[in-house]
Amino acid sequence: MSRIIGWLWGRLPIGWLQLMHNKTRLIAAVGGVTFANVLIFMQLGFMNALFETSVFSHRSFDADIVLVSSDFRSLREANPLPRSRMYQALAVPGVHYATPVYIGTRFWTDTSTGDTTNFRVTGVDPNADVFDDKDLSAKARQLRLPDTAIVDQRTRDFNANIQATLQSGRSVNVEIGGRSISFVSLFDQGASFDVDGSLIVSDQTFFALFPNRRPGTPTLVLLKIDDPSQAAEITEHINQHLAHGDVKAMTKQAFIEAEQSYQATQTPIGFVFGFGVGIGIVVGLVIVYQVLSTDVQDHLSEYATFKAIGYPPRFFFGVVLEEALSLAALGFIPGLVICLVLYELAAAKTGLPITMPWTRPLFVFCLTAAMCTLSGVIATRRLNAADPAELF
Amino acid sequence: MASEFAIETKQLCHTFGTGAAGVRVLHNVDLNIKRGEVVILMGPSGSGKTTVLTLVGCLRSVQEGSVKLLGTELNGASDETLMRMRHRIGFIFQAHNLHKSLTATQNVQMGLQIHGRQANRNWREACRHMLELVGLGDRVDFMPDQLSGGQKQRVAVARSLVGNPEVVFADEPTAALDKESGHRVVSLLRRLADERQTTIFMVTHDHRVLDYADRIIKMEDGRVVEEKSILFPGMESANH
Ligand SMILES: Nc1ncnc2c1ncn2[C@@H]1O[C@H](COP(=O)(O)OP(=O)(O)OP(=O)(O)O)[C@@H](O)[C@H]1O
Ligand SMILES: [Mg+2]
């Protein structure tokens, strides 16, 4: 290893040799970096799960443009909009299809287990083409029967008996909001931070479950256009055309991003995860700085000797940087491995999609390297200022 | 070369501390040391020998007076200039200051590496040869912790000589050495002066090595009080 670095650097790998010389300190330092990495990875994992799960429903819709009430921030607290806007939007050239969607949440207590589940209920026209997933749109045809629902099989802690019965093709009767509802089929979506799972019902069943919601006031209107590449222009036209100010049109992508930005900036949970990443960075910085500055302190007279021999400041910075990056790399690898295991455990426990995209290790490593470099810069400042004779 | 003197100081003064707390430890020190000369600086403890050496050796910024090292004025010189001058000199310190994580050879290599990749071509032979010259040919891969104080000191000597310096500054190089290795180190310095015109400026209390010098300068309380030339340097000890 030291041969390789030495060959690359064109000099003795002093930083590396110095680190390897004091094994106790090395282990403590690597442990610190690993810990900081685990912290950062876990927070990013949860934060990403928050972003992903919060837009599961958004993504599932087959639409180019979405109409929402003009004060839209998040699907969870979206206000309804007048259905007449749907017809006005249909009149805009290029828009060829529109369908309303009704969204609300309902608790359901499973009488066999006593568990309570918080469902997001999505009411759709069973004859319409609502979902990207064509199988799901086909299943939605079954909802023409009143008081039927399709249930998310990845609902958090979903009752296995119900799942098995549904898989065998039979339906299950439950009581939700004082109404008898029949689960007729399963679909695949997943839990999120605010709801445990999803139900898809017909618009008629939706009104039965939410007596205060009226047919004329959907939560969303999904629009499809002739040429999807013109989504931005047509969105603009619709917004000009619907000049009442009570609704706005967004491209599907903008709709997803609006929700994610709301989750990141406006919810306490988004803040908590961002804060967690910050803490991880600070912990890492403090530990690495502590190690590097103690190390510089311990080698001050040797460094002074090198300075007396004529080594320039960048040489010392190079040595400390070499140590910093070695620590970053040595701490990163176990951190990554531990996190992959923890991700599996957390995903299994929460039903959240906690996964490791390949960009994240790259990002965290760059962050770790930057954090270590910064510590290194701070640690060598004292060294560069002094005359060699004052350092012996 | 421009100047016949390797080291020239005029009215060199130095003060530690500032204002009322300032203590002047050097008073108008004038020195002229020729290329290839071996000069020993003596004097009681606290008389300012190390201070002179560090000022002339580019280890401390010159405050007052003039110091010319190899023709370059050090008073007011930039960091860049000081660094370049340090490449041309060798320093043997009172404390050996070997790097504990490096082997003897690697420590010596640090003295060579400063001269760039070109100088590093045959570094292994160069370092080994230097270690043999100081009598450590059988200890090349030892870590400093495995060496005695005197052996460490000799590694430090090898480190400062391996780059072929034009001037060698030595601050009590024989303090930690027994009689034999002391003589070996100082006679090595003497040989460098004779064969390569290396200038040697050395502080020592060690009377055993005085007769290797061309000249002995005595200091007291920050002043030069006596200069004495030696007619046949090295003769007396050769008879030992
Ligand atoms: N960094 C410093 N700060 C303040 N005073 C110093 C410093 N270094 C040396 N001195 C003072 O300067 C004076 C000369 O010190 P110097 O180290 O040059 O003496 P020396 O002749 O080398 O002595 P010795 O033979 O004991 O090594 C002493 O009085 C010492 O106390
Ligand atoms: Mg001294």
Side-chain angles (χ1 to χ4, degrees):
Chain A
M1 185 71 200
S2 65
R3 281 272 166 84
I4 300 170
I5 307 178
W7 178 78
L8 279 176
W9 270 215
R11 63 161 172 80
L12 277 175
I14 298 191
W16 175 264
L17 293 172
Q18 231 163 262
L19 273 184
M20 292 303 140
H21 194 75
N22 190 338
K23 291 284 191 312
T24 337
R25 184 179 297 166
L26 177 69
I27 289 166
V30 168
V33 176
T34 302
F35 178 71
N37 272 320
V38 169
L39 217 55
I40 294 172
F41 268 126
M42 287 322 284
Q43 301 296 332
L44 286 176
F46 282 121
M47 187 150 77
N48 198 59
L50 169 67
F51 289 168
E52 279 306 305
T53 57
S54 67
V55 295
F56 271 162
S57 307
H58 308 53
R59 283 196 207 283
S60 71
F61 296 130
D62 179 13
D64 300 306
I65 297 172
V66 180
L67 280 189
V68 290
S69 85
S70 58
D71 59 358
F72 175 84
R73 301 201 301 168
S74 161
L75 208 50
R76 186 178 48 179
E77 46 191 53
N79 283 320
L81 55 119
R83 194 172 49 185
S84 55
R85 302 286 173 252
M86 177 172 98
Y87 301 114
Q88 290 171 325
L90 265 175
V92 172
V95 180
H96 72 253
Y97 186 84
T99 185
V101 174
Y102 302 84
I103 291 171
T105 50
R106 269 285 172 270
F107 283 107
W108 163 58
T109 302
D110 186 344
T111 44
S112 63
T113 61
D115 287 344
T116 296
T117 304
N118 186 10
F119 276 123
R120 165 169 291 159
V121 184
T122 305
V124 299
D125 175 354
N127 301 310
D129 242 355
V130 175
F131 300 102
D132 255 341
D133 177 358
K134 291 304 143 207
D135 285 348
L136 183 53
S137 285
K139 278 183 194 167
R141 308 278 178 261
Q142 301 173 36
L143 301 176
R144 287 170 188 150
L145 274 175
D147 294 331
T148 53
I150 307 176
V151 60
D152 181 359
Q153 63 181 350
R154 289 204 286 147
T155 296
R156 195 174 285 135
D157 298 329
F158 193 45
N159 185 324
N161 290 334
I162 295 180
Q163 180 154 5
T165 312
L166 285 170
Q167 265 162 355
S168 71
R170 281 167 294 146
S171 62
V172 177
N173 288 318
V174 297
E175 197 189 291
I176 298 177
R179 242 189 127 77
S180 174
I181 298 285
S182 177
F183 290 163
V184 292
S185 189
L186 292 166
F187 77 108
D188 194 69
Q189 188 170 78
S192 74
F193 280 77
D194 33 305
V195 294
D196 300 318
S198 274
L199 287 183
I200 298 170
V201 298
S202 71
D203 39 11
Q204 295 314 311
T205 310
F206 185 87
F207 301 133
L209 280 170
F210 298 87
N212 57 343
R213 290 293 292 270
R214 316 206 50 83
T217 59
T219 312
L220 304 171
V221 172
L222 309 180
L223 301 175
K224 284 186 232 181
I225 58 180
D226 299 328
D227 178 5
S229 68
Q230 292 203 304
E233 289 91 326
I234 294 179
T235 303
E236 187 73 13
H237 288 163
I238 297 170
N239 278 329
Q240 278 161 10
H241 192 68
L242 303 179
H244 298 270
D246 55 354
V247 299
K248 66 182 170 192
M250 304 166 116
T251 62
K252 185 179 173 187
Q253 190 54 35
F255 175 56
I256 290 170
E257 283 164 10
E259 179 78 43
Q260 288 184 330
S261 138
Y262 169 81
Q263 296 289 343
T265 59
Q266 303 291 310
T267 61
I269 193 158
F271 173 78
V272 165
F273 292 138
F275 191 72
V277 172
I279 292 286
I281 293 173
V282 170
V283 167
L285 260 179
V286 168
I287 293 173
V288 178
Y289 171 71
Q290 200 55 44
V291 168
L292 291 181
S293 68
T294 322
D295 196 67
V296 168
Q297 204 59 42
D298 285 357
H299 290 94
L300 215 51
S301 60
E302 284 104 314
Y303 289 159
T305 308
F306 292 151
K307 205 172 171 179
I309 293 178
Y311 285 93
R314 75 186 134 76
F315 167 81
F316 303 105
F317 180 62
V319 169
V320 176
L321 194 64
E322 186 183 317
E323 291 188 281
L325 293 182
S326 304
L327 286 180
L330 291 176
F332 176 77
I333 294 160
L336 182 60
V337 171
I338 292 173
C339 278
L340 287 172
V341 174
L342 289 180
Y343 275 18
E344 286 294 317
L345 292 177
K349 184 74 202 146
T350 60
L352 294 170
I354 302 174
T355 54
M356 183 75 80
W358 67 270
T359 46
R360 189 176 304 151
L362 215 62
F363 169 71
V364 172
F365 183 72
C366 292
L367 200 67
T368 314
M371 161 176 112
C372 291
T373 305
L374 180 64
S375 319
V377 172
I378 306 173
T380 46
R381 268 194 323 203
R382 182 175 129 65
L383 188 65
N384 290 330
D387 267 349
E390 271 145 34
L391 298 174
F392 291 124
Chain B
M1 287 262 177
S3 164
E4 90 174 283
F5 291 116
I7 300 165
E8 240 183 310
T9 72
K10 285 206 180 67
Q11 304 291 303
L12 177 63
C13 299
H14 197 81
T15 306
F16 284 111
T18 49
V23 180
R24 174 160 287 207
V25 299
L26 293 185
H27 307 273
N28 304 323
V29 173
D30 291 335
L31 292 173
N32 291 299
I33 298 175
K34 288 203 280 289
R35 285 174 191 267
E37 205 177 5
V38 177
V39 174
I40 284 179
L41 186 58
M42 297 189 78
S45 183
S47 56
K49 307 181 296 294
T50 299
T51 311
V52 169
L53 221 58
T54 52
L55 284 168
V56 180
C58 307
L59 300 187
R60 205 182 275 292
S61 316
V62 179
Q63 297 170 342
E64 223 186 306
S66 158
V67 175
K68 273 199 181 147
L69 177 65
L70 298 166
T72 303
E73 176 60 56
L74 298 185
N75 191 349
S78 66
D79 285 350
E80 183 63 34
T81 310
L82 288 176
M83 214 175 71
R84 255 186 299 110
M85 292 312 292
R86 283 176 200 148
H87 292 188
R88 300 174 61 186
I89 62 181
F91 226 110
I92 302 167
F93 303 93
Q94 229 160 351
H96 51 78
N97 291 327
L98 293 187
H99 197 297
K100 286 192 269 309
S101 315
L102 304 181
T103 64
T105 309
Q106 287 172 329
N107 265 295
V108 176
Q109 196 189 343
M110 288 306 295
L112 196 57
Q113 193 171 271
I114 188 70
H115 301 287
R117 271 182 196 263
Q118 204 60 31
N120 277 299
R121 276 274 176 71
N122 298 316
W123 66 268
R124 209 177 283 276
E125 292 88 275
C127 297
R128 260 161 220 262
H129 177 66
M130 210 58 236
L131 283 169
E132 271 160 25
L133 284 183
V134 295
L136 288 176
D138 54 342
R139 297 279 192 281
V140 290
D141 288 324
F142 279 47
M143 300 301 280
D145 285 344
Q146 300 168 310
L147 296 172
S148 73
Q151 288 169 332
K152 280 188 266 204
Q153 180 71 325
R154 282 184 278 159
V155 174
V157 170
R159 179 179 60 192
S160 55
L161 298 184
V162 72
N164 273 327
E166 295 169 57
V167 184
V168 174
F169 297 94
D171 200 348
E172 312 205 13
T174 58
L177 302 181
D178 59 63
K179 190 173 165 210
E180 197 206 312
S181 20
H183 276 293
R184 189 203 285 271
V185 164
V186 181
S187 66
L188 178 60
L189 294 176
R190 179 74 246 177
R191 233 172 68 207
L192 288 178
D194 293 341
E195 291 171 6
R196 298 190 191 157
Q197 287 288 292
T198 307
T199 311
I200 312 288
F201 190 18
M202 177 161 67
V203 170
T204 187
H205 292 293
D206 188 351
H207 289 271
R208 298 171 301 184
V209 301
L210 293 187
D211 46 344
Y212 281 100
D214 294 308
R215 195 145 56 96
I216 293 171
I217 299 175
K218 285 219 169 99
M219 283 186 73
E220 248 167 59
D221 291 332
R223 291 186 175 79
V224 175
V225 293
E226 189 190 334
E227 293 203 26
K228 185 169 80 184
S229 291
I230 291 172
L231 230 45
F232 301 108
M235 290 309 281
E236 215 172 304
S237 53
N239 298 334
H240 271 269

